[in-house]
Amino acid sequence: EATTAVGGVRGAQTEANDVYWKGEANQLINADELAAFKKAADLAESGEMKQAQAAFAEFVKAHPDSPLRKDANQALAMLQKP
């Protein structure tokens, strides 16, 4: 699977809010969604793997249409590895 990234040019006349990832335009993440994902990621980073796993599972359940769902599923898969 190929990933395409778009970069900006310093001094460009485009506003930061106008920048988007190709194929993912207009997929906004609300503050509650982002906070829940960050909490789960912070738990994983601090070594609290069981709590992180539970937090990511809850995130997926609570936000089934989130653009972050794929990332949460990947984190869950990594946390479930022995």
Side-chain angles (χ1 to χ4, degrees):
E1 180 177 309
T3 301
T4 302
V6 177
V9 177
R10 181 178 242 165
Q13 298 300 313
T14 303
E15 293 289 323
N17 292 337
D18 293 336
V19 178
Y20 67 94
W21 289 102
K22 185 176 180 180
E24 296 182 14
N26 298 324
Q27 288 187 338
L28 301 177
I29 301 167
N30 71 42
D32 291 338
E33 205 173 318
L34 185 58
F37 187 88
K38 261 192 92 174
K39 177 184 175 186
D42 289 345
L43 286 167
E45 189 173 316
S46 68
E48 298 177 59
M49 301 309 182
K50 288 188 184 227
Q51 294 90 333
Q53 190 172 355
F56 277 119
E58 180 58 34
F59 176 87
V60 170
K61 182 178 176 184
H63 305 284
D65 298 322
S66 172
L68 294 172
R69 183 181 176 136
K70 182 178 178 183
D71 297 304
N73 284 332
Q74 288 176 340
L76 273 171
M78 291 176 66
L79 289 167
Q80 291 171 351
K81 289 183 180 176

